[in-house]
């Protein structure tokens, strides 16, 4: 066992037992002097009072190489069960010194979180659930807990100042590209860590301390590890990875009290913070075309913050930076600003057209370079849910400041580092990268219900007041809580997150089917959030601050607000608070969109027109949902009691009455109507739309129903060849809002065999009727040409309505339809239907109950049909006379 004092963790390669208990792994002469094979099996119990490290040194002085411990653990990872391996690891961490443990640390981290290339899955924490695997789940969570054995190992190595190499090639694309171009990223996470490759090395790498190395792997496992196919239906919030993220955030970013000190693994006390290191790559060699950036880095890499109290939160700072860099920093600000220019958008459009057309000339080199620099990273729904968890906790963390600490006057030297960190966490680390992350998701996420995860992440960031510790007075259900004025600075400093992303949501909502309950719910959620009292007014005031003229705006002065200077910690470099609200808003917008950005006001005429269009579509979707509900109710009520036997009338036109309502159900249609009704009400509140405007837009859209209450045809105009679809009509068809009534207008005898017909019998009856028609064609034509009642009777049975008499939607086919008029013929296909045969069998069965024989029953049926046919013939002829 690893916990025994002899040599914990060293196992025999043949029998997988401790080397102190096995004589097969090594010859007797290789064991400790004076101990034969038999005595060595009892040696551990005799020396239990000695220190474990001393025992290992005394018993096996030649086995002190770390590779033996690593090989033993690797062998155990194959042969031993999961619970036993974790128990052995706990004993190894407790008994071995840091000198031996530092060699197994990279392997252990990789075996837990998987390899960076995604080949090794590790413990598969993203699929590990307590209700599915309770034993493994509890063991893994206890081992990886912030106060668990794995963190004890991290702090044990941290005290010895060990460094571990992390390849730059696995960092997010913007960071990797920046470092490979010898330009240090803005985040202080990478400062003093870049190392040139050694002789024979594969590339640049970072020299990370144990805590950083562990967190890098933990954060990147969310992206690099692909879940197995069977994990698609796993609930993310129940997985071990999601819960571990929540525990780490609560431990290192506490909303109450201070950050807990690291667990001391030695009598020397807690592990110190990482000391500054001299950069291994001289920044002067990073290139001559980035002089301004290089000067800034060179001038601030000489020393660390002299304040020793800042060391107490270095783990909190590192954790937040790692999470933000690994999860959000996949899109560069420079490339985003380049892609906002009309010229770049036109080039991308030309590129896409050239890809779609095989005959198009090759793309220009500059265009190819532009396309190559576009980040193609696409987050998963699980990724978005974890980021939302981070944002919610950051709001709670930042809002945990007491009112006297959160006030601007509290920014003084007396504030503790944790208080300063709470103020700076969101604007300093999260704001810019989150905006780019959301912009990419809004523009590239599929137009389906999975966008709900992105939407809720966005709405969570927009509402920091939801995570404030103070409790507001309970309000009635009919009156929503008003947003306090204390949040006005947050709204102003995040103006683009409110306004431009709202425009992005509008463009998505206008392209989705609002009859779907999930899409209607998303529109309702956004409208409800923006309709909170006083929020729209704060957004409008923020826009006024941005749009108001300013006499002098220093060139690029806004970057002094968003990009502080860097040292060992961000605290000493945080600039003084800017009191000019207008300058704050301008700094926020220009730093994200560039100096030449064209801002579209949220309450301006352009977005207002889009909101009016969305209101039109909401009204249209409400009526469509009501029409579907009424149609479903009518079709259900009209079905006979014996419809399950197949007596429901056949659909001779070949159309299928089923629609989305069959899958959604009546409850979903009711919810859709409620969501759309409330969303329309909230949009009217935010943008001050009157009922007269909505009524006018409803009439202009043509959403009124016809006299019969049925759904109208798609919007069309009359052309030379008939009806022509308008763009609105195409939109109505694509989204299922309206449709044409499709009818089968070919030869009824040649229709495809239906599910309610017997295939073999239909084919036999078709051959029989075809033979009769060929044999008696002349006689049937003579009978149908007669002008008396017999002629009318034969025409009723032998002639079908010609295509020229049917309602044709396409005027092009009317001239061709007259030439397809067919002569009199007999059709026996109705006898091949299950419904007809079952009806005949039921008739004979009922007749037998009244002691009526089969022959007499058949005569009665024939007589009844003749009487029915005579009546129908008379009615048909009478109708033709009225038409004349």
């Amino acid at each position: 066992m690893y916990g025994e004092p002899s040599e914990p963790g060293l196992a025999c390669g043949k029998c997988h037992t401790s080397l102190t208990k096995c004589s097969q792994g090594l010859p007797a002469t290789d064991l400790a002097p004076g101990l034969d094979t038999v005595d060595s099996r009892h040696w551990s119990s005799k020396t239990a009072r000695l220190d474990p490290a001393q025992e290992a040194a005394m018993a096996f002085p030649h086995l002190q190489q770390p590779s033996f411990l690593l090989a033993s653990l690797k062998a155990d990872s194959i042969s031993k069960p999961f619970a036993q391996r974790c128990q052995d690891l706990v004993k190894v961490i407790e008994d071995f010194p840091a000198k031996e443990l530092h060699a197994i640390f990279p392997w252990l981290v990789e075996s837990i979180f998987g390899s960076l290339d995604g080949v090794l899955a590790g413990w598969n924490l993203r699929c590990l659930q307590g209700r599915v695997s309770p034993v493994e789940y509890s063991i893994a969570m206890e081992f990886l807990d912030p106060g668990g054995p794995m963190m004890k190992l991290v702090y044990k190595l941290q005290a010895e100042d060990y460094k571990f190499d992390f390849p730059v090639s696995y960092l997010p694309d913007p960071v990797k590209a920046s470092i490979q171009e010898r330009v240090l990223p803005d985040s202080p996470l990478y400062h003093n860590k870049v190392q040139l490759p050694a002789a024979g090395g594969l590339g640049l790498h970072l020299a990370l301390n144990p805590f950083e190395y562990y967190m890098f792997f933990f954060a990147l496992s969310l992206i690099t590890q692909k879940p197995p196919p069977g994990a698609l239906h796993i609930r993310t919030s129940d997985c071990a990875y999601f819960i571990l993220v929540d525990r780490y955030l609560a431990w290192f970013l506490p909303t109450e009290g201070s950050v807990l000190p690291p667990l001391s693994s030695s009598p020397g006390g807690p592990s110190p913070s990482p000391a500054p290191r001299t950069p291994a790559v001289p920044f002067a060699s990073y290139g001559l075309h980035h002089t301004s950036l290089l000067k800034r880095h060179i001038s601030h890499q000489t020393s660390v913050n002299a304040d020793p109290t800042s060391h107490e939160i270095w783990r909190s700072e590192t954790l937040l930076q790692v999470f933000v860099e690994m999860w959000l920093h996949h899109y560069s600000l420079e490339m985003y600003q380049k892609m906002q220019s009309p010229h770049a958008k036109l080039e991308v459009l030309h590129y896409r057209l050239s890809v779609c057309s095989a005959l198009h000339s090759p793309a220009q080199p500059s265009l190819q370079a532009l396309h190559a620099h576009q980040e193609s990273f696409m987050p998963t729904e699980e990724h978005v849910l974890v980021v939302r968890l981070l944002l919610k906790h950051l709001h709670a963390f930042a809002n945990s400041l007491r009112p006297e600490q959160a006030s601007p006057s509290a920014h003084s030297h007396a504030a503790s580092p944790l208080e300063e960190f709470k103020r700076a966490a969101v604007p300093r680390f999260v704001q810019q990268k989150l905006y780019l992350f959301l912009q990419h998701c809004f523009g590239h996420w599929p137009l389906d219900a999975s966008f709900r995860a992105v939407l809720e992440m966005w709405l969570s960031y927009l509402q920091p007041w939801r995570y404030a510790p103070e409790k507001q007075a309970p309000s009635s259900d009919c009156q929503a809580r008003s947003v306090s004025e204390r949040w006005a600075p947050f709204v102003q400093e995040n103006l683009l997150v409110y306004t431009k992303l709202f425009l992005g949501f509008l463009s998505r909502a206008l392209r989705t089917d609002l009859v779907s309950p999930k899409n209607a719910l998303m529109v309702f959620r956004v409208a409800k959030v923006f309709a909170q009292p006083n929020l729209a007014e704060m957004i409008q005031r923020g826009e006024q601050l941005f749009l108001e003229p300013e006499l002098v705006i220093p060139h690029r002065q806004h970057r002094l607000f968003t990009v502080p200077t860097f040292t060992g910690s961000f605290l000493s470099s945080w600039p003084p608070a800017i009191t000019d609200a207008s300058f704050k808003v301008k700094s926020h917008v220009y730093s994200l969109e560039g100096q030449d950005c064209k801002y579209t006001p949220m309450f301006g005429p352009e977005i207002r027109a889009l909101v009016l269009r969305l209101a039109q579509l909401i009204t249209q979707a409400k009526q469509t949902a009501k029409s579907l509900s009424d149609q479903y109710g009518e079709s259900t009520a009209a079905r006979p009691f014996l419809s399950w036997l197949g007596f429901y009338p056949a659909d001779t036109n070949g159309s299928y009455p089923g629609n989305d309502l069959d899958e959604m159900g009546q409850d979903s249609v009711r919810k859709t109507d409620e969501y759309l009704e409330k969303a329309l009400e909230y949009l009217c509140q935010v943008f001050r739309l009157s009922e007269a405007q909505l009524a006018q837009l409803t009439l202009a859209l043509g959403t009124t129903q016809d006299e019969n209450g049925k759904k109208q045809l798609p919007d069309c105009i009359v052309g030379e060849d008939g009806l022509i679809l308008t763009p609105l009509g195409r939109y109505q068809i694509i989204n299922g809002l309206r449709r044409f009534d499709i009818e089968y207008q070919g030869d009824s005898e040649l229709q495809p065999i239906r599910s309610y017909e017997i295939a073999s019998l239909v084919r036999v009856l078709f051959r029989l009727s075809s033979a009769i028609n060929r044999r008696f064609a002349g006689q049937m034509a003579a009978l149908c040409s007669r002008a008396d009642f017999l002629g009318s009777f034969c025409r009723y049975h032998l002639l079908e309505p010609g295509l020229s008499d049917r309602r044709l939607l396409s005027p092009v086919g009317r001239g061709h339809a007259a030439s397809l008029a067919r002569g009199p013929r007999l059709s026996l296909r109705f006898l091949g239907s299950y419904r007809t045969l079952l009806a005949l069998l039921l008739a004979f069965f009922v007749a037998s109950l009244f002691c009526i024989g089969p022959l007499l029953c058949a005569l009665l049926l024939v007589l009844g049909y003749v009487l029915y046919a005579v009546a129908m013939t008379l009615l048909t002829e009478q109708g033709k006379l009225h038409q004349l």
Side-chain angles (χ1 to χ4, degrees), residues 539-593:
I539 296 175
Q540 199 163 9
R541 289 199 299 270
E543 290 187 327
Q544 293 172 356
L545 290 173
F546 173 74
L547 297 175
E548 70 179 15
E550 190 169 357
L551 297 178
V552 179
I553 301 180
H555 182 62
R556 294 187 179 275
Q557 185 178 357
H558 64 277
R559 294 189 179 275
L560 297 177
F561 173 72
T562 57
V563 183
T565 56
F566 293 106
T567 60
S569 177
F570 78 98
L571 295 173
S572 62
S573 62
W574 189 247
I578 301 177
T579 57
D580 185 0
S582 176
F583 184 73
K584 278 187 177 182
V585 179
K586 288 180 170 62
S587 301
H588 161 69
V589 175
Y590 290 142
S591 64
L592 293 177
E593 295 292 330

Side-chain angles (χ1 to χ4, degrees), residues 109-299:
V109 171
E110 187 177 81
S111 66
I112 294 174
F113 302 120
S115 57
L116 294 174
D117 55 8
V119 175
L120 300 178
W123 288 5
N124 204 7
L125 297 175
R126 293 167 58 185
C127 300
L128 185 60
Q129 292 181 291
R131 58 184 179 86
V132 178
S133 305
V135 177
E136 291 81 0
Y137 173 84
S138 60
I139 293 175
M141 295 299 293
E142 182 179 356
F143 187 80
L144 300 176
D145 189 79
M150 191 63 191
M151 275 299 170
K152 291 182 180 179
L153 172 60
V154 170
Y155 299 142
K156 200 171 187 178
L157 298 175
Q158 191 78 38
E160 302 296 334
D161 197 24
Y162 284 108
K163 300 298 176 182
F164 300 92
D165 292 340
F166 187 92
V168 172
S169 58
Y170 291 107
L171 295 175
D173 288 341
V175 180
K176 177 176 62 177
S178 177
I179 294 179
Q180 289 175 347
E181 294 174 2
R182 300 300 193 267
V183 179
L184 202 61
D186 288 340
S187 174
L189 183 65
Y190 307 104
H191 292 188
N192 303 328
K193 295 182 177 66
V194 180
Q195 304 287 312
L196 284 174
L202 298 179
L204 293 169
H205 61 272
L206 303 178
L208 305 178
N209 63 53
F211 186 81
E212 294 169 338
Y213 188 83
Y214 176 82
M215 286 300 170
F216 266 64
F217 265 85
F218 176 75
L220 278 176
S221 64
L222 178 64
I223 301 171
T224 58
Q225 298 299 319
K226 305 301 179 183
L232 296 178
H233 303 289
I234 294 179
R235 188 176 178 181
T236 302
S237 58
D238 295 336
C239 297
Y241 187 88
F242 188 89
I243 298 176
L244 275 176
V245 172
D246 188 39
R247 290 188 182 181
Y248 288 157
L249 290 173
W251 185 280
F252 295 107
L253 302 176
T255 57
E256 296 180 359
S258 59
V259 182
L260 295 177
L263 300 176
S264 177
S265 57
S266 63
S271 59
S273 62
R277 305 174 70 248
T278 304
V281 179
F283 292 101
S285 65
Y286 267 31
L288 300 178
H289 55 287
H290 300 284
T291 55
S292 61
L293 183 63
L294 296 180
K295 288 179 180 178
R296 185 183 68 204
H297 290 322
I298 292 172
S299 61

Side-chain angles (χ1 to χ4, degrees), residues 314-378:
W314 71 265
R315 292 172 297 141
S316 304
E317 180 184 344
T318 300
L319 176 86
L320 179 58
Q321 292 183 66
V322 170
F323 284 178
V324 171
E325 288 293 315
M326 301 303 116
W327 294 343
L328 297 180
H329 196 185
H330 293 274
Y331 316 102
S332 62
L333 177 63
E334 292 75 12
M335 183 52 57
Y336 168 77
Q337 293 179 352
K338 289 180 182 178
M339 295 304 297
Q340 299 309 302
S341 65
H343 177 69
K345 293 181 179 179
L346 183 62
E347 284 189 343
V348 172
L349 177 62
H350 286 320
Y351 179 83
R352 291 175 178 173
L353 292 176
S354 67
V355 172
C356 297
S357 175
L359 301 178
H360 197 278
S361 60
Q364 300 297 326
S366 61
L367 177 60
Q368 293 176 351
L370 179 65
H371 180 75
H373 281 82
Q374 296 185 55
E375 296 87 352
S376 59
F377 175 80
M378 190 64 193

Side-chain angles (χ1 to χ4, degrees), residues 66 83 100 107 175 187 222 259 284 406 429 432 545 608 661 772 788 837 878:
E100 282 78 13
W107 168 83
V175 180
S187 174
L222 178 64
V259 182
F429 294 107
Q432 181 190 93
L545 290 173
R608 186 178 180 85
L661 191 62
I772 295 175
D788 54 5
L837 296 179
Q878 190 70 20

